[in-house]
Amino acid sequence: MPEDDEQRLAGVRARIAAITDPDPTPAELALVLRLLRSFAAKTPGAVEQLTTLLAGRADPGGIRDRAHALKGSAANIGATGLAAVCAVLEDQARAGAVADPARTADRIRSEATGALRAVSTLAEEFAQRCPA
């Protein structure tokens, strides 16, 4: 696994460890698995919406709102790289201008792809630990 992917996985794993007991119950395992799967299901659409707004140079308020939402979900799951890129974008949009929309969109896509790989790996691990 490439270093960036290892770091992303470690970040997501650390966040999940911070919100669960050291020896999670079956219900807690199932809840974490739902959280991971929800992030995996919703993030591609959120990224697409945000990058479409960036490509169209949409109203900064819309970009700010989408960046804020994606930042929150990324931070909740431990995808700190994606959260950081979204935080910068949110701040720029709040100020009224995004410095380099195309490059920002590329960074968001890249960070989201890496985060989704990490989440998918961890979801597989939790699926194996969950009772049927």
Side-chain angles (χ1 to χ4, degrees), residues 5 17 22 26 28 31 36 38 46 62-63 77 81 88 91 96 105 108-109 115-116:
D5 282 352
E28 197 171 24
L31 179 64
L36 295 168
S38 176
I63 292 171
I77 203 81
V88 170
D91 290 344
I108 289 169
R109 283 187 203 97
L116 288 166

Side-chain angles (χ1 to χ4, degrees), residues 46-70:
V47 168
E48 181 62 30
Q49 290 174 349
L50 183 53
T51 57
T52 297
L53 289 172
L54 286 167
R57 298 187 182 261
D59 167 52
I63 292 171
R64 180 198 63 232
D65 293 346
R66 299 284 183 188
H68 177 79
L70 186 55

Side-chain angles (χ1 to χ4, degrees), residues 54-115:
L54 286 167
R57 298 187 182 261
D59 167 52
I63 292 171
R64 180 198 63 232
D65 293 346
R66 299 284 183 188
H68 177 79
L70 186 55
K71 175 188 77 176
S73 65
N76 283 339
I77 203 81
T80 57
L82 178 58
V85 172
C86 289
V88 170
L89 175 57
E90 180 183 8
D91 290 344
Q92 288 179 355
R94 182 174 289 112
V98 176
D100 188 346
R103 183 167 180 259
T104 300
D106 287 345
R107 289 190 62 214
I108 289 169
R109 283 187 203 97
S110 176
E111 286 296 335
T113 298

Side-chain angles (χ1 to χ4, degrees), residues 5-28:
D5 282 352
E6 289 176 11
Q7 290 172 339
R8 287 182 182 107
L9 181 58
V12 174
R13 193 181 305 280
R15 176 65 181 140
I16 297 303
I19 62 173
T20 59
D21 288 330
D23 186 20
T25 65
E28 197 171 24

